[in-house]
Amino acid sequence: MSAENHNPLEGSDTTVHAPNRLRICALLDTAGEAEFGLVQEQLELSSSALSKHVTVLMDAGYVGQRKAVRDTRQRVWLHLTRPGRDAYRGHLAALRAIVGPSDPTL
């Protein structure tokens, strides 16, 4: 496909697009794995809001979880799956295509 015919929305993912889900994916892409409470704290989300977004991402196969006991309490650790990482990075590429190259002089 030539550059003139390239659809800038190709790679865009509506599951990842929601602002809080995009932030979750960004955090997990950088961290690799993060405990639910840390994600909640970093993104300043309520437990229920984070849980709803994580459920959407898990239902899509984009986020996985690992449960472990730490300090006698059950903890949930979140990570991007390979399809999740691909979807997130594809979505970022689509956003970059939409806005164009950044101008370092701005």
Side-chain angles (χ1 to χ4, degrees):
M1 178 179 273
S2 71
E4 301 87 42
N5 294 330
H6 178 71
N7 179 356
L9 293 177
E10 186 178 318
S12 178
D13 189 301
T14 57
T15 301
V16 174
H17 184 73
N20 284 325
R21 291 195 294 267
L22 183 61
R23 293 171 65 215
I24 292 165
C25 290
L27 188 149
L28 295 177
D29 186 51
T30 301
E33 183 178 65
E35 197 264 326
F36 185 93
L38 177 68
V39 176
Q40 180 183 351
E41 181 182 304
Q42 290 291 312
L43 301 183
E44 298 178 340
L45 293 173
S46 69
S47 179
S48 63
L50 178 57
S51 182
K52 288 177 187 175
H53 287 296
V54 167
T55 297
V56 170
L57 291 166
M58 288 179 67
D59 288 348
Y62 291 173
V63 167
Q65 67 179 7
R66 174 178 64 86
K67 295 182 180 184
V69 176
R70 187 173 126 209
D71 300 328
T72 69
R73 293 182 54 203
Q74 174 119 347
R75 306 287 181 161
V76 176
W77 296 81
L78 305 171
H79 63 274
L80 283 178
T81 62
R82 177 156 314 265
R85 190 172 313 282
D86 292 345
Y88 168 68
R89 291 179 180 176
H91 189 73
L92 285 184
L95 292 175
R96 286 186 186 108
I98 292 168
V99 299
S102 61
D103 184 348
T105 63
L106 294 177

